[in-house]
Amino acid sequence: MLVHPDFDPVVFHIAGPLAIRWYGLMYLIGFVAAWWLGRVRAKQPHSALTPHQVDDMVFYGMIGVIVVLLAEAHEW
């Protein structure tokens, strides 16, 4: 039998019902890491992207994730 760890999905509560969950924290860390690494690589010589293009890509990626999560929540 496979045993799964039983941990709390909430990292911490901010105010009342507002809570930060682990998956949200991982999304945030992933986007920040992608943005930082993209900007570092875009500043290198002979890069195909500019730092501004990396900013735009990460922004549109974040919008896409939000749309998908909202669609999943509403089960469209």
Side-chain angles (χ1 to χ4, degrees):
M1 175 186 240
L2 185 60
V3 178
H4 295 285
D6 187 25
F7 63 92
D8 189 12
V10 176
V11 180
F12 55 88
H13 293 276
I14 294 177
L18 189 61
I20 302 297
R21 297 183 179 267
W22 284 108
Y23 64 86
L25 186 62
M26 292 301 109
Y27 272 118
L28 178 66
I29 290 171
F31 281 123
V32 169
W35 173 75
W36 175 77
L37 183 60
R39 286 188 61 92
V40 166
R41 291 188 176 190
K43 290 178 183 177
Q44 293 178 348
H46 308 296
S47 175
L49 296 174
T50 65
H52 182 71
Q53 289 172 325
V54 171
D55 295 344
D56 288 343
M57 283 190 348
V58 171
F59 174 74
Y60 292 129
M62 290 168 68
I63 296 295
V65 167
I66 291 169
V67 167
V68 168
L69 290 176
L70 288 175
E72 290 274 331
H74 291 288
E75 297 179 11
W76 289 338

